[in-house]
Amino acid sequence: MGVPLPDTFRYRRIEADGVRINCAVGGDGPPVLLLHGYPQTHLTWHLVAPRLAADHTVVLTDLRGYGDSDKPAPGPAAEPYAKRAMARDQLLVMRALGHERFALVGHDRGARVGHRLALDAPEAVSALALLDIVPTRYAFGHVDRALATAYFHWFFLALGNGVPERLIGADPEFWLRALMSAQHRPGAESDPAAMREYVRCFSTPEAVAASCADYRAAATIDLEHDAASAAQSVQCPTLVLWGAHGFVGRTYDVPAVWRGYAADLRGQAVAAGHFLPEEAPRETADALLGFLRESRRESRRESRRESRG
């Protein structure tokens, strides 16, 4: 499979409180929502989604500010790109599609949106898979030279006064390609057709401004929301995957970090850099399918125990 997605996936634009979210839906079975990261689109899943769609209803979306979704003008306090606002978009999309409860898989920024959604609407998320991140609050609370060097873009994109927008806007394709290539494992690269779509979607002033606002929110209002929910853990079954050759895998004891944030956790490394769905699609899909099956079995066992009361 490749780009474009198989014609079994149908595209829709769904309005979520005035923000139109681009999505593709394919397959049949238990619903699962897949969220992409920076600076990509839903097509980061093009090698994984068709396998999941064999026995799931798969929903792929572009986060607000990315891809072909709307890009609200950033506000001075970054609220439009708070992960809480981005998570609500996704909740409303799934409700519009008839899914009140669903599994969620997120990579990079999409994983941060997924984490917030699982905290804000725990009744909606049946299982959560988070790819190649540690929690935002943990990352900012443990900044050292290694993180500041590897994640320099976190701090650059969060600058104000239009600085990152102006500099990236001078050559957005160079920025995108350079940033992504630095995070691949040696010898890996994105599908050329997917990369052309990433470049197309990223190369407008509105997209650049929105992505900067995403990171600006992470360094401000998202931390406020995270602090307010610091005592709250994700309660649904949670899987963490990380690239064995990437910064997250080299730097953190990923399961140990996430045990402080999720009550029912499992995890494993994948032979990839940062972009697991593209660098190791078979291994990533296998891990996700196994986790989704296991979480459904756990849910059925729990339902039987409750019915016996």
Side-chain angles (χ1 to χ4, degrees), residues 186-248:
E189 60 183 19
S190 293
D191 177 274
M195 182 62 79
R196 287 193 294 271
E197 276 295 285
Y198 301 155
V199 171
R200 177 186 69 82
C201 292
F202 188 75
S203 296
T204 68
E206 294 79 11
V208 172
S211 63
C212 291
D214 175 5
Y215 280 83
R216 207 163 286 139
T220 54
I221 192 169
D222 289 347
L223 291 179
E224 295 174 16
H225 293 159
D226 289 349
S229 58
Q232 186 180 357
S233 293
V234 174
Q235 295 300 308
C236 66
T238 303
L239 171 71
V240 290
L241 300 176
W242 61 93
H245 305 290
F247 174 76
V248 170

Side-chain angles (χ1 to χ4, degrees), residues 144-153 155 247:
D144 58 12
R145 183 174 63 181
L147 183 136
T149 301
Y151 280 13
F152 77 95
H153 59 289
F155 307 96
F247 174 76

Side-chain angles (χ1 to χ4, degrees), residues 104-107 111 115 127-135 234 236-244 248 252-270 276 283-284 287-288 291:
L104 193 159
V105 180
H107 172 250
H115 184 200
L128 178 67
L130 304 166
L131 276 58
D132 212 56
I133 69 162
V134 293
V234 174
C236 66
T238 303
L239 171 71
V240 290
L241 300 176
W242 61 93
V248 170
Y252 302 105
D253 182 340
V254 182
V257 172
W258 275 105
R259 283 189 195 103
Y261 296 81
D264 181 3
L265 184 75
R266 66 233 60 193
Q268 69 183 70
V270 173
L276 280 65
E283 189 177 356
T284 300
L288 293 175
F291 168 65

Side-chain angles (χ1 to χ4, degrees), residues 12-93:
R12 297 181 58 177
R13 285 171 66 80
I14 295 176
E15 186 169 315
D17 279 352
V19 177
R20 290 168 299 177
I21 300 297
N22 182 55
C23 66
V25 183
D28 186 40
V32 56
L33 171 64
L34 306 185
L35 302 179
H36 66 87
Y38 176 92
Q40 298 162 294
T41 73
H42 70 281
L43 288 176
T44 194
W45 303 105
H46 70 276
L47 296 172
V48 172
R51 283 200 59 200
L52 270 59
D55 53 8
H56 293 81
T57 298
V58 176
V59 180
L60 310 169
T61 69
D62 293 331
L63 298 169
R64 73 160 63 187
Y66 292 86
D68 288 315
S69 289
D70 281 355
K71 299 166 180 63
E79 282 93 343
Y81 290 91
K83 302 307 155 294
R84 175 161 285 162
M86 297 171 83
R88 178 162 172 76
D89 291 343
Q90 302 304 316
L91 180 64
L92 294 178
V93 165

